[in-house]
Amino acid sequence: MHEIQPAAPYECPYCGEPGETVLDLSEGDHNFIEDCHVCCRPIEFHLETDGEQWDLDVRAEND
Ligand SMILES: [Zn+2]
């Protein structure tokens, strides 16, 4: 079993700062939260993947 962990660019939904997060495609569809490295607010990531193709949605908490 190989692991695919592409880096995905995103923009912070709060302050607009560009960032990058590493995706774990082996988990399938899942949500996770990372704090913005600039404004430190929690960014919600919604990842949809079939293990190869992926689509990342970035939202502000409570959005
Ligand atoms: Zn931010």
Side-chain angles (χ1 to χ4, degrees), residues 8-12 17-21 37:
Y10 68 87
E11 276 186 14
C12 174
E17 190 70 18
E20 202 172 75
T21 188
H37 64 99

Side-chain angles (χ1 to χ4, degrees), residues 3 5-6 8 13 16-17 27 31 34 37-38 48 51 53 55 63:
E3 293 182 10
Q5 296 186 313
E17 190 70 18
E27 285 190 38
N31 302 333
E34 281 183 17
H37 64 99
V38 175
E48 289 183 22
Q53 305 293 317
D55 186 49
D63 198 11

Side-chain angles (χ1 to χ4, degrees), residues 27-34 43-48 56-57 59:
E27 285 190 38
D29 295 357
H30 66 284
N31 302 333
F32 57 99
I33 292 175
E34 281 183 17
I43 305 166
E44 279 192 19
F45 296 87
H46 298 256
L47 176 65
E48 289 183 22
L56 185 68
D57 194 23
R59 296 181 205 168

